[in-house]
Amino acid sequence: MENAADYALTLTRRSMLKAAGAGTLLAFALPVRARGGNGFAPEQSALQTAYLRIEADGTVAILTPDAELGQGILTTHAMYIADEMGADWSRLKVGFSGAGEIYTNPQKNLQATGRSMGATGYFDLLRRVGAAARVQLVTAGAQKLGVPASECDTRDSKVVHAASDRALDFAELVEAASNVPVPDDPPLRDDADLRYIGRSMPRQDVPAMVRGEAEYAVDVQRPGMKVAAIRACPVFGGRVRSVERDAVIGMPGVYEVIALADAVAVVADSWWEASRALTELPVEFDEGDAADFESDAMMDTLVAQLAQPGEQVLEAGRDGDVDSALAAAGDRVLDAVYKAPYLAHATMEPMSCAALVENGRCEVWSGTQSPMQSRDAAARALGIDAADVTMHRTFSGGGFGRRWQTDFVVQAVSIAREIPGVPVKLIWSREEDIRHDFYRPAYALRFRAALDDDGGINALHLRVGGASILEAMRPGMLGGRVDPTVIAGLNDHSYRMANSHVEWVPHPTPVPIGVWRAVSHSQNGFFLESIIDEIAHAAGVDPLEWRLRHLQDSRIRAVLEKLAEVSGWDGPLGDGRGRGVALTDSYGSIVAQVAQVSVSAERQLKLERFYCVVDCGRAIHPDNIRAQMEGGILYGLTAMMHGAIDVRGGSVQQQNFNDYRSLLLRHAPPVETHIIESGHEMGGVGEPGLPPAAPAVTNAIHAATGIRIRELPLERQGWRLA
Amino acid sequence: MQKYTLKINGESREVEADPRMPLLWVLRDRLGMTGSKFGCGQGLCGACTVHVDGRATRACVLPVSAAQGRDVRTIEGLSADGDHPVQQAWIAAQVPQCGYCQSGMIMAAVALLERNPAPSDADIDEAMTNICRCGTYDRVRQAVHDAARRQASA
């Protein structure tokens, strides 16, 4: 695979004109401002659109509008286009598009990678892009062969006329095909004719990854490039008061010291030289208003507010009369508080971004999840037009929502502005990465439940307290409404109950917060699925059986039934071992998991095995779905076991992987995933694997020991992994 | 700044650097070899793993002065065509997700297999301490076993 920048496909003037007359399919793909890669592609091709190009040798180059975070989207999008085109899988190359409106995900009107929508959102669009190219190729090929186009098809990067056993390679047809008008509404292939979609095609990017050749933003190299290290005020919201530039400016390799509003950067020949100078650079900060913020105290306040919310409480769902039902149940009401801490993303590649500012224009190299917002943020920071910002997208060393933010992009271009004409690559230290994240907010939830005579739920009251992510991203946007990024997973479940009430107590925080893999489901899955387990236990019913009895949605029950079968749920387990079950419905996919654990008297926990069943409607790439389930589970288990960010005096106390720990290979349970293709609308898979993981384990711990876990992470309650 | 002659992937390379400069940054910023990744700077995550005299070594905490005169092997020098048995096994198992930790993961696996051609699960547990945030661990384990089989039958 080549560096994406080598063949980034932009709309050349010619292809723009071509597309302009091309009817509705490509008409959406027109904005002149859409730029990609480093200007125009070095190799121009006659047949070229925003998403694909056929090169002179017949290679089909495909560009994804999404970020590759490990979810395999380069491959998925290549499957969509190549399948419709009839392109040979071994004659593809894949890369990243530029940034722009042309690349908008139809499901969210934005080019941005998140909410598990990369496979679903582009499914129709990219197939149509591929189908349009196929029609052009077939038309051109049929003409050359002197046969009707209706007798031809494409296969293995050839236009094939089966009746006469003749074929023409794409390479021979590029020029002629480009003169065929782009069809308005090209027919898509029947499912039976699909050769890639639905199959586990080998990922296009993996060979480069195992050679160490995939280019991440940290790897970007340009002639004359400098490298920057940065240190922000450790207290959130703090400002730089003074910097003693001269103290380090003569140090070996040091090129420049740059003070931003809230951070200082050293630019040097190497990152180590920049970083070393930064540690010796005398800086004074004005700490600002957050300097007395303590996350422990905030959690205590949150919990107190759950008992006495006053007027701040917002209604997120009400059915029946919960208050009367709970009052009638008297002291048989289950009543407990759950807690989930702040979490950092800790992507393996720390935040990084390269930039060049010169003559009122800017180039950015980044593995961002939000290319359009990054482009616009860079333009705003520099006071230039978005059209004058060129986004070069690289691989992302993990995203998990962190690279949705644009802070590091703004930093990079702000540094680059001070050294015009010099390309500069900003790389955060791991410490900076842990301490200046946009964290998964901390939440507390109180539940009160009353059972009916059959062991079902007569009444359930859920009251969650914590900050709004949407409000943090754009103050005022909620206008007093309930934030779905807080509440989703609590008020939209399938459990049957006569009376229910869901409330949210908003609690703003000075801690920067943002989206973290699975967003609200990451904590709400733990809350609700633990609560359901408590209820089942109180009812004296097996927790999986209880769910089957009380879930209203037959599709969800089918997932659970499959899980019971594959996990051997009813089979015997020895002493000190337990099974736990949890299920969530998120991002259009239903995922249920069984964790099998063993537990010692000293709270040594062995994660023996995971069983996972996912119904994502339609399975585009089964092996990749399995990989995403494995990854979601592991990310969830790491948070469950170790994940906690503490803020004291307005600054994060954790620093690196020694105190913000990850599960290691020796801890990782084997995961057995089964996929159900129910034929329902296609759902995402990047996030839905995560939410059931933690409650499946904590429910298993309860099954094994009777200990109910209501607060994460486990290591804070004395648990250790075996 | 001092001059060092390093032996990297069998080639002699001259660099000028502070003696304390970690090998990782000499590779990445002096020599432009970016296959070895930066993840933590403290030897905690293993993304920077290279071989020094055949042993898996975390290059982010190894001063260049300590690498002088020793055999350094990086992911770039593992094979000419990306077809080392471990790389083949990694592709067969489709191990990588984001891929960022995998250079280090692969170098750790190669070092393990060079001293223990048929590692048990427990051996893999002990040797493979690299962090992967994407959660590829179970596939790493399967791929190490597969690579061992490939090497045995080669």
Side-chain angles (χ1 to χ4, degrees):
Chain A
M1 203 184 92
E2 289 184 25
N3 180 340
D6 288 343
Y7 60 93
L9 309 187
T10 47
L11 287 177
T12 62
R13 180 154 296 278
R14 181 173 171 206
S15 59
M16 276 189 278
L17 292 172
K18 194 186 291 288
T24 54
L25 176 62
L26 294 182
F28 72 90
L30 268 181
V32 179
R33 289 183 177 185
R35 291 174 184 281
N38 52 350
F40 298 124
E43 181 192 349
Q44 296 302 330
S45 160
L47 205 158
Q48 175 164 320
T49 74
Y51 291 101
L52 68 89
R53 176 176 76 200
I54 306 181
E55 302 188 342
D57 65 355
T59 299
V60 176
I62 291 174
L63 294 187
T64 174
D66 266 318
E68 180 59 67
L69 312 166
Q71 81 281 40
I73 203 68
L74 279 169
T75 300
T76 300
H77 286 171
M79 286 162 65
Y80 293 165
I81 291 178
D83 218 343
E84 289 293 344
M85 279 185 81
D88 184 335
W89 193 250
S90 65
R91 291 174 67 193
L92 301 181
K93 58 183 184 183
V94 298
F96 301 104
S97 76
E101 286 70 9
I102 188 176
Y103 296 114
T104 291
N105 184 323
Q107 276 183 350
K108 55 189 168 194
N109 290 322
L110 193 66
Q111 182 195 9
T113 304
R115 295 162 63 195
S116 299
M117 285 181 172
T120 58
Y122 290 102
F123 182 65
D124 191 53
L125 169 60
L126 294 185
R127 288 184 66 187
R128 292 172 70 209
V129 165
R134 181 189 71 231
V135 169
Q136 290 176 287
L137 288 158
V138 163
T139 305
Q143 254 166 24
K144 269 200 179 176
L145 294 170
V147 297
S150 60
E151 292 178 8
C152 296
D153 194 2
T154 52
R155 191 179 174 92
D156 300 330
S157 293
K158 292 178 173 61
V159 171
V160 180
H161 184 243
S164 64
D165 198 22
R166 288 180 298 162
L168 289 170
D169 195 273
F170 286 179
E172 303 170 74
L173 295 168
V174 181
E175 194 67 36
S178 73
N179 291 320
V180 176
V182 178
D184 195 3
D185 194 15
L188 299 185
R189 291 188 187 278
D190 291 338
D191 284 356
D193 293 335
L194 296 174
R195 303 176 70 207
Y196 304 147
I197 294 169
R199 305 213 174 142
S200 298
M201 302 308 293
R203 270 179 57 171
Q204 288 279 342
D205 46 6
V206 159
M209 286 174 172
V210 304
R211 294 195 301 265
E213 290 172 4
E215 186 188 51
Y216 305 83
V218 294
D219 302 327
V220 169
Q221 300 183 58
R222 308 292 298 167
M225 179 171 263
K226 301 290 182 187
V227 190
I230 196 161
R231 173 153 52 107
C233 177
V235 175
F236 296 125
R239 288 283 182 262
V240 176
R241 184 193 300 154
S242 65
V243 183
E244 286 182 44
R245 174 180 183 274
D246 292 346
V248 302
I249 206 73
M251 287 176 66
V254 172
Y255 180 76
E256 189 52 280
V257 173
I258 293 163
L260 306 177
D262 59 354
V264 291
V266 175
V267 180
D269 291 336
S270 80
W271 188 81
W272 182 76
E273 288 159 327
S275 179
R276 198 163 69 95
L278 192 60
T279 59
E280 298 190 13
L281 180 68
V283 186
E284 286 186 48
F285 293 107
D286 288 321
E287 294 189 334
D289 297 338
D292 59 357
F293 181 84
E294 307 278 321
S295 53
D296 284 354
M298 185 215 66
M299 184 53 82
D300 292 344
T301 306
L302 264 186
V303 171
Q305 281 181 328
L306 293 179
Q308 300 285 339
E311 291 177 357
Q312 303 172 56
V313 67
L314 293 176
E315 184 114 325
R318 184 194 281 275
D319 193 12
D321 183 353
V322 160
D323 292 340
S324 301
L326 290 174
D331 61 4
R332 282 168 296 134
V333 169
L334 305 177
D335 184 344
V337 169
Y338 278 78
K339 298 179 196 173
Y342 287 108
L343 293 173
H345 299 80
T347 59
M348 280 313 298
E349 178 197 17
M351 294 305 100
S352 54
C353 180
L356 168 65
V357 175
E358 195 170 27
N359 302 326
R361 299 182 46 81
C362 176
E363 289 187 73
V364 174
W365 292 262
S366 172
T368 173
Q369 290 179 246
S370 56
M372 285 169 68
Q373 295 120 299
S374 293
R375 174 200 66 185
D376 295 347
R380 274 196 305 277
L382 298 171
I384 63 176
D385 273 356
D388 291 324
V389 177
T390 303
M391 297 293 301
H392 307 274
R393 299 195 298 115
T394 66
F395 280 95
S396 315
F400 314 119
R402 178 61 181 91
R403 283 181 227 274
W404 184 275
Q405 308 289 341
T406 59
D407 55 321
F408 56 99
V409 176
V410 169
Q411 285 181 346
V413 302
S414 301
I415 293 165
R417 174 179 51 195
E418 302 304 316
I419 46 173
V422 178
V424 59
K425 176 169 63 178
L426 171 66
I427 303 174
W428 285 22
S429 66
R430 176 58 60 192
E431 289 78 8
E432 199 70 9
D433 186 76
I434 298 285
R435 304 189 71 189
H436 292 284
D437 202 339
F438 288 76
Y439 303 89
R440 199 287 300 277
Y443 291 99
L445 176 141
R446 182 184 179 198
F447 88 97
R448 290 183 299 151
L451 273 59
D452 62 24
D453 293 340
D454 297 325
I457 297 173
N458 182 32
L460 180 64
H461 182 206
L462 302 173
R463 182 183 284 158
V464 65
S468 161
I469 295 170
L470 292 184
E471 195 68 19
M473 282 180 166
R474 196 180 304 167
M477 81 175 285
L478 281 178
R481 286 170 309 201
V482 170
D483 184 348
T485 71
V486 174
I487 219 75
L490 293 179
N491 66 347
D492 51 0
H493 57 75
S494 174
Y495 293 109
R496 187 183 300 112
M497 52 193 70
N499 304 284
S500 76
H501 192 193
V502 184
E503 294 176 305
W504 170 39
V505 185
H507 189 96
T509 172
V511 177
I513 55 173
V515 291
W516 189 95
R517 194 174 192 174
V519 196
S520 66
H521 297 282
S522 72
Q523 74 273 3
N524 290 342
F526 168 63
F527 293 158
L528 185 64
E529 284 301 287
S530 300
I531 290 164
I532 293 298
D533 217 67
E534 291 205 41
I535 289 167
H537 189 71
V541 178
D542 173 88
L544 196 150
E545 173 60 28
W546 190 97
R547 285 170 170 86
L548 285 175
R549 284 187 205 170
H550 300 288
L551 283 163
Q552 301 173 81
D553 187 336
S554 59
R555 182 184 172 197
I556 300 179
R557 286 201 306 273
V559 171
L560 212 47
E561 281 161 0
K562 176 77 176 173
L563 180 66
E565 174 201 325
V566 301
S567 68
W569 177 259
D570 293 323
L573 276 180
D575 279 353
R577 297 168 83 207
R579 289 191 191 98
V581 63
L583 72 91
T584 53
D585 178 357
S586 63
Y587 305 95
S589 294
I590 296 154
V591 180
Q593 292 163 6
V594 163
Q596 184 179 310
V597 305
S598 62
V599 181
S600 79
E602 296 78 37
R603 296 203 168 193
Q604 281 253 331
L605 173 67
K606 174 76 180 165
L607 304 169
E608 292 188 341
R609 179 168 279 277
F610 253 80
Y611 299 91
C612 176
V613 177
V614 51
D615 175 359
C616 51
R618 176 172 187 164
I620 299 298
H621 188 299
D623 187 57
N624 197 52
I625 293 169
R626 283 190 285 274
Q628 287 305 298
M629 294 300 117
E630 293 157 16
I633 289 167
L634 260 289
Y635 204 72
L637 293 180
T638 281
M640 173 200 77
M641 195 63 216
H642 302 301
I645 288 292
D646 300 303
V647 186
R648 299 204 184 105
S651 72
V652 166
Q653 301 303 295
Q654 283 71 23
Q655 305 258 2
N656 205 316
F657 287 125
N658 59 326
D659 52 11
Y660 193 74
R661 296 169 61 202
S662 279
L663 254 61
L664 298 178
L665 182 144
R666 74 170 72 98
H667 307 129
V671 175
E672 182 181 317
T673 297
H674 297 263
I675 300 166
I676 294 178
E677 289 203 73
S678 62
H680 284 85
E681 189 180 349
M682 202 195 327
V685 296
E687 292 165 283
L690 183 147
V697 170
T698 53
N699 291 341
I701 289 173
H702 183 267
T705 66
I707 297 170
R708 178 61 65 188
I709 310 271
R710 297 197 180 96
E711 186 175 354
L712 299 178
L714 291 181
E715 71 174 17
R716 297 230 163 145
Q717 289 149 66
W719 292 91
R720 294 289 175 266
L721 286 175
Chain B
M1 294 273 193
Q2 289 184 29
K3 285 202 169 132
Y4 294 95
T5 304
L6 299 175
K7 201 169 145 201
I8 300 172
N9 298 328
E11 285 180 34
S12 182
R13 306 291 298 262
E14 305 271 335
V15 294
E16 213 174 301
D18 185 293
R20 295 164 296 177
M21 188 165 175
L23 176 62
L24 175 66
W25 295 106
V26 170
L27 291 170
R28 291 183 58 85
D29 286 351
R30 291 284 197 264
L31 297 171
M33 298 171 69
T34 56
S36 310
K37 304 302 183 193
F38 166 63
C40 70
Q42 305 277 344
L44 297 166
C45 77
C48 63
T49 303
V50 300
H51 295 180
V52 177
D53 290 340
R55 299 184 70 92
T57 302
R58 296 192 171 177
C60 75
V61 289
L62 182 77
V64 61
S65 54
Q68 163 116 317
R70 300 166 73 183
D71 270 324
V72 175
R73 184 156 62 146
T74 71
I75 188 80
E76 289 91 345
L78 196 55
S79 64
D81 302 313
D83 58 355
H84 186 283
V86 171
Q87 289 168 313
Q88 290 179 21
W90 246 244
I91 291 171
Q94 296 279 288
V95 171
Q97 289 189 26
C98 88
Y100 192 80
C101 73
Q102 299 295 340
S103 298
M105 201 71 89
I106 287 168
M107 295 309 286
V110 170
L112 165 64
L113 289 165
E114 283 179 358
R115 66 167 196 276
N116 180 353
S120 64
D121 277 341
D123 296 334
I124 295 171
D125 283 350
E126 192 184 326
M128 300 297 292
T129 56
N130 302 42
I131 292 176
C132 169
R133 295 284 288 161
C134 294
T136 63
Y137 294 133
D138 199 40
R139 291 181 187 232
V140 168
R141 181 190 303 283
Q142 302 312 322
V144 170
H145 285 309
D146 180 36
R149 286 189 293 269
R150 286 168 191 263
Q151 287 188 329
S153 63

